[in-house]
Amino acid sequence: MSEISEHTPDEKLLRMAAQIAAFFRSQPGEPPEVALAGHINDFWGYRMRIDYLALVQAGIVTDPVLRAAAPLIRLPGEPTEGVAPNDPFTHMNEAEAES
């Protein structure tokens, strides 16, 4: 039998991101925000990424690693190399923003 969760989808999303960040904080190598963003880019779907970025933009995310990962998160299909930096919230590059 399944239990009904008292947590909102946003709380679940942030708890999951915090758990992943906690793991990467304990690992040598990449900074945890880079590893967290890489994990999110590899495994989270479009809706989860959009919701996460909205929470960061709204100021709900207080953990510095979770906040630092936001600009490194890409939406599916977005180029990751050789392009002007994207705004982490609108995901528009500088040329698109000017038009």
Side-chain angles (χ1 to χ4, degrees):
M1 189 185 288
S2 66
E3 295 181 23
I4 297 175
S5 173
E6 296 177 15
H7 299 287
T8 67
D10 289 345
E11 290 170 331
K12 290 178 185 179
L13 190 68
L14 290 178
R15 186 178 65 228
M16 186 177 1
Q19 290 170 335
I20 296 165
F23 170 77
F24 286 123
R25 280 184 173 108
S26 70
Q27 301 300 304
E30 288 184 308
E33 61 273 11
V34 173
L36 172 62
H39 178 88
I40 290 172
N41 288 333
D42 288 344
F43 298 106
W44 286 21
Y46 179 84
R47 181 83 259 157
M48 290 174 72
R49 294 182 206 189
I50 288 291
D51 290 348
Y52 179 81
L53 293 172
L55 293 170
V56 172
Q57 185 177 24
I60 294 168
V61 178
T62 58
D63 182 305
V65 171
L66 299 183
R67 292 190 61 73
L72 306 173
I73 294 171
R74 299 286 175 242
L75 298 180
E78 224 176 20
T80 58
E81 295 181 20
V83 295
N86 285 338
D87 178 285
F89 304 115
T90 65
H91 284 264
M92 294 173 60
N93 64 32
E94 293 172 4
E96 292 170 328
E98 292 174 3
S99 58

